Amino acid sequence: MSTALQLAITKIGDLLLGNKISQDAEGKAINDINLVIPPYQRPYKWTAKNVIQLLDDIIYSKNENKETYRVGTLILHQERNEEKTVYNIVDGQQRIITFSLLLKA
């Protein structure tokens, strides 16, 4: 079985609100992203301290007039079944859930 590694870059808003990855290696968007937390992932463990640190980092970056703020690497595993394609979150689960909760709030 052949496994291909695909590198891409995205904005949190595109991923969580638009269900897309902003740009693949060819500059094209990857649409219809269905994120899934696979059963092997650990439970959500971030505390208020972790969330405050993330928000403080973003505020600091904004105050320093940085155009972009890199929140870290997100590793997804594309899985296709008969019904649809899903993207299992392999790394970055805590950050993605935190951003989802902040957007919901």
Side-chain angles (χ1 to χ4, degrees), residues 79-97:
E79 186 175 30
R80 294 181 183 156
N81 60 33
E82 296 150 7
E83 299 168 17
K84 62 183 175 179
T85 300
V86 298
Y87 291 81
N88 293 317
I89 301 174
V90 176
D91 186 41
Q93 168 197 349
Q94 305 294 308
R95 285 172 282 138
I96 288 297
I97 290 174

Side-chain angles (χ1 to χ4, degrees), residues 3-9 21 23-31 33 73-78 80 85 87:
T3 303
L5 179 65
Q6 184 176 10
L7 300 176
I9 190 166
I21 293 176
Q23 181 177 339
D24 66 10
E26 297 174 358
K28 299 176 184 172
I30 304 170
N31 297 306
I33 299 295
T73 302
L74 175 64
I75 299 176
L76 305 174
H77 175 255
Q78 184 184 48
R80 294 181 183 156
T85 300
Y87 291 81

